[in-house]
Amino acid sequence: MRDYYEILGVERSADDGALKASFRKLAMEHHPDRNGGCEEAEGRFKEINEAYSILS
């Protein structure tokens, strides 16, 4: 499994605000509804959600 901080693109010392901001940006970018049901985008979206739920 990849590093959750790497998935969200933040440093290990990132605070809650930085985690949330990065999560929101990536979630909007990879949301399946915005990408026409692309399976790759859906997989990335799930990965981003998992990383944020673990780190928050």
Side-chain angles (χ1 to χ4, degrees), residues 11-51:
E11 297 290 322
R12 289 191 171 275
S13 60
D15 64 353
D16 290 338
L19 288 172
K20 187 174 186 175
S22 180
F23 165 73
R24 286 177 170 242
K25 179 184 172 203
L26 291 171
M28 290 294 287
E29 184 178 325
H30 296 286
H31 196 281
D33 290 345
R34 294 183 138 223
N35 291 293
C38 174
E39 290 184 25
E40 184 178 328
E42 184 179 342
R44 179 81 170 119
F45 182 73
K46 288 178 181 179
E47 185 178 50
I48 292 164
N49 278 318
E50 179 184 354

